[in-house]
Amino acid sequence: MRPAVHFIGRFPPPVDGQSLATQRLARMLEGAFDVRAVNTAVKDQSLMPSGLLTQLRTSRHYLQLRPDLRHSLASAPDAPVLWGSISPTALGHARDTMATLPCFQPGQSIIAIAHRGGFDRIFRNKLTARSALRLARTVNRFVFLSEYLSSQVAQWVPAEKRTVIPYTVEACATPYEITLKQQARSSGDPLKLLYLSNMIASKGYPDVLEAMALARVNGVPVTATFAGRWNSEKDRLLFHDRVSALALDREVVHVGAVQDRDKVNALHREADIFLLPSYYSEEAQPISIIEALSAATPVIVTRHSGIRDMVRGDMEARFVPPKSPETIAEAITSLSDADTWHAASKDARTRYEQHFSESAVRKKWMALLSEHVKA
């Protein structure tokens, strides 16, 4: 009989990095464990919920879930709990304290997964500092996505309670498809750029547009596909106005939010360079970067939050400062050289296989859970 493991978290829909990672981890563990999932997703919620009213709605939803959650956890009181919906925000922390913590069974092992960046905020906030310390004493282990994100809470959470396990995704391209991709790339061909994330300005999509215009001045032909959901109609209109102002109408296409995995994989396979020059406040470990690496696509990113630990500069990645179209354009120009691009492409796939493949990540999860599953 497989040992039971409870899993509290947001499962798709809505589709975003966190819900996809939760679904992926649950499926990865199902072969070895009886995974008892409680889906905390709010029905019809947007991809990137924001605003006080939305947060209050989410909190009310969690409070309504308490009876089902308590019943589920009581069905196997000795089984460990993967808590994938723990929040780094003040209101989210209050929700966790009132709606989730009271449902855990006495002595139950709690493994909290910090999906979002800035988890140290609840320890620094005067309103939540005391309850955050109680939370740190209650939780048996915190799982962070990178060493940097783990180090942010080192003064409040001891090392023995912190573990680093990154996300994983199924490879977007087979070795054969990568070989074809690498054989097709030569200097002089227009570089196919890809931005795949929510269309939030602080994730860097405006800087990618400006960099395209600068790369053109440098004599580097580029095209770009932007894939992601808009948060507002105003942002969409501003984007298209800027595309026209830069005379990039023929070079830029926005395909909207792409949720079909085959289409996502195809976008990554077709791309020559993936860009996410993010300075988004809650950035942690973007799954889209891992997808790009799996497709042997070099990436241009910032040293922001957990991104800094994901890739290596001057290998599969080019690091750029936030809000720096000029530096992005320089990185694009560098990767337009065929030899430089091929070396970065090979390094990208190697990075994925060694650090983000299912086999590498599953090994870490199995080792962690073996410490908490009772015989």
Side-chain angles (χ1 to χ4, degrees), residues 162-228:
R162 290 182 283 120
T163 297
V164 173
I165 306 179
Y167 284 150
T168 182
V169 299
E170 186 176 354
C172 293
T174 65
Y176 175 70
E177 289 169 331
I178 289 173
T179 298
L180 293 179
K181 174 176 179 171
Q182 292 171 340
Q183 289 175 343
R185 180 70 207 146
S186 62
S187 296
D189 292 340
L191 282 165
K192 297 184 287 292
L193 311 182
L194 173 64
Y195 170 97
L196 194 159
S197 186
N198 291 294
M199 299 298 288
I200 298 172
S202 59
K203 283 181 173 283
Y205 73 81
D207 302 318
V208 174
L209 275 184
E210 302 298 325
M212 290 181 65
L214 293 172
R216 182 174 55 192
V217 171
N218 293 340
V220 179
V222 294
T223 62
T225 298
F226 291 80

Side-chain angles (χ1 to χ4, degrees), residues 20-21 24-25 28 166-170 285 287 290 352 355-362 365:
L20 285 174
R24 179 74 173 161
L25 177 56
M28 188 170 63
Y167 284 150
T168 182
V169 299
E170 186 176 354
Q285 189 177 81
I287 284 179
I290 304 175
Y352 165 76
H355 294 272
F356 301 108
S357 64
E358 180 174 319
S359 60
V361 173
R362 187 177 188 275
W365 272 110

Side-chain angles (χ1 to χ4, degrees), residues 66-312:
R66 277 193 306 184
D68 290 339
L69 178 57
R70 186 178 289 111
H71 177 76
S72 178
L73 295 178
S75 68
D78 293 332
V81 183
L82 296 180
W83 184 7
S85 56
I86 193 168
S87 175
T89 69
L91 189 56
H93 175 69
R95 176 200 74 205
D96 291 340
T97 302
M98 293 185 294
T100 305
L101 277 175
C103 297
F104 292 116
Q105 302 300 295
Q108 206 159 36
S109 290
I110 305 170
I111 302 170
I113 307 170
H115 284 283
R116 295 156 68 182
F119 199 76
D120 57 314
R121 284 179 291 171
I122 59 172
F123 296 97
R124 299 183 186 279
N125 190 320
K126 292 180 180 180
L127 296 176
T128 58
R130 187 171 297 179
S131 57
L133 289 174
R134 287 198 298 269
L135 175 71
R137 290 192 294 269
T138 302
V139 171
N140 299 85
R141 193 72 66 93
F142 288 88
V143 176
F144 294 93
L145 300 173
S146 76
E147 292 291 349
Y148 173 76
L149 295 173
S150 174
S151 70
Q152 287 185 308
V153 301
Q155 68 185 92
W156 303 284
V157 182
E160 61 269 20
K161 281 198 169 190
R162 290 182 283 120
T163 297
V164 173
I165 306 179
Y167 284 150
T168 182
V169 299
E170 186 176 354
C172 293
T174 65
Y176 175 70
E177 289 169 331
I178 289 173
T179 298
L180 293 179
K181 174 176 179 171
Q182 292 171 340
Q183 289 175 343
R185 180 70 207 146
S186 62
S187 296
D189 292 340
L191 282 165
K192 297 184 287 292
L193 311 182
L194 173 64
Y195 170 97
L196 194 159
S197 186
N198 291 294
M199 299 298 288
I200 298 172
S202 59
K203 283 181 173 283
Y205 73 81
D207 302 318
V208 174
L209 275 184
E210 302 298 325
M212 290 181 65
L214 293 172
R216 182 174 55 192
V217 171
N218 293 340
V220 179
V222 294
T223 62
T225 298
F226 291 80
R229 176 170 174 158
W230 293 106
N231 267 9
S232 72
E233 178 65 10
K234 178 182 177 181
D235 288 346
R236 188 188 71 81
L237 293 174
L238 287 172
F239 172 84
H240 288 290
D241 285 347
R242 192 56 184 159
V243 168
S244 295
L246 293 171
L248 291 171
D249 299 85
R250 294 185 178 181
E251 288 82 12
V252 170
V253 60
H254 179 260
V255 297
V258 181
Q259 299 182 7
D260 182 89
R261 299 314 300 170
D262 290 338
K263 292 181 181 178
V264 169
N265 293 347
L267 288 173
H268 282 292
R269 287 195 300 269
E270 293 164 5
D272 294 317
I273 301 175
F274 177 82
L275 301 97
L276 190 67
S278 175
Y279 48 98
Y280 178 58
S281 62
E282 294 187 11
E283 201 74 83
Q285 189 177 81
I287 284 179
S288 55
I289 294 177
I290 304 175
E291 292 170 339
L293 297 177
S294 79
T297 306
V299 302
I300 297 176
V301 294
T302 49
R303 295 184 188 272
H304 177 58
S305 192
I307 297 174
R308 69 190 69 199
D309 296 330
M310 296 179 71
V311 289
R312 302 160 296 180

